[in-house]
Amino acid sequence: MRTLGPGSVSSLLKIALDVAYVLLMIITAVLLLVFLASIFIPLANLNITVSNDTGGRQQPLTRPLLLFGVGALTAYFGGFLLILRNLRMIFRTLTVGDPFRPENVRRLRQIGLILAIVTGGVWLVQGLVAARLAPGVMDSQGVGELLTPVFSVLVVFVLAEVFKEGARLRRESELTI
């Protein structure tokens, strides 16, 4: 089976990315509506329970806490929606058999940047939640938990440079007569 061009593995992956993109768009839109609605929802006597294997604690649900939680979740899914949008555009060039385009270099860099922001945001939010909302119940992430995501971000940036070199070589070969 071919890896590039129409009817290839890349075209099947593009279809899967399209489906995932639509689902993620729906989830993000619903979360955005929940975020907007949570500005107006009355919060009288609502509590949340934060627990682990050894126990837990209850905390009153305040508007800033609700907005922070729903906002962080919306931003998380929104970041991955942007990543999928760029991936779909990259796979569109793969399905036509022309991956080494300058636009793909920019798209890969954007993916790397968004992935770095989402990773850093998750790390910060988990630290805030562990310190403020669930001290003693939830542990904050250490630097060791960042190794895999940071490695992934670096791989995406290296891939962008590989695509940049491929685009340069393609441009040179087109100029050769």
Side-chain angles (χ1 to χ4, degrees):
M1 186 167 213
R2 297 180 334 187
T3 55
L4 295 177
S8 65
V9 173
S10 61
S11 62
L12 291 175
L13 287 173
K14 166 108 176 41
I15 293 169
L17 284 172
D18 289 342
V19 171
Y21 182 76
V22 169
L23 291 174
L24 201 55
M25 189 184 298
I26 292 168
I27 291 169
T28 305
V30 168
L31 283 171
L32 190 58
L33 290 174
V34 169
F35 179 78
L36 293 173
S38 64
I39 295 172
F40 305 105
I41 295 173
L43 300 173
N45 300 324
L46 291 175
N47 292 323
I48 58 171
T49 304
V50 181
S51 62
N52 63 7
D53 296 337
T54 61
R57 65 183 251 188
Q58 281 199 343
Q59 177 143 343
L61 182 62
T62 61
R63 187 162 319 283
L65 183 61
L66 179 63
L67 289 173
F68 174 76
V70 175
L73 201 57
T74 304
Y76 181 79
F77 281 103
F80 281 106
L81 184 66
L82 292 174
I83 289 172
L84 276 182
R85 181 180 60 87
N86 283 316
L87 277 175
R88 288 176 61 231
M89 290 179 194
I90 290 171
F91 271 84
R92 189 174 300 146
T93 64
L94 294 176
T95 57
V96 295
D98 188 19
F100 295 112
R101 302 177 78 168
E103 310 90 68
N104 284 346
V105 175
R106 181 183 46 80
R107 291 174 185 141
L108 282 168
R109 287 180 181 159
Q110 286 176 352
I111 289 170
L113 182 63
I114 295 166
L115 193 56
I117 291 169
V118 168
T119 298
V122 167
W123 190 75
L124 286 173
V125 166
Q126 284 183 340
L128 284 172
V129 168
R132 300 282 184 185
L133 180 62
V137 177
M138 182 179 171
D139 295 328
S140 62
Q141 282 189 327
V143 178
E145 281 88 5
L146 283 176
L147 290 178
T148 301
V150 166
F151 182 75
S152 300
V153 169
L154 291 175
V155 165
V156 171
F157 281 119
V158 167
L159 222 91
E161 293 306 309
V162 168
F163 270 67
K164 181 180 173 183
E165 183 64 18
R168 185 188 67 77
L169 291 172
R170 187 184 118 205
R171 194 171 43 249
E172 281 181 8
S173 72
E174 288 172 350
L175 296 175
T176 305
I177 297 176

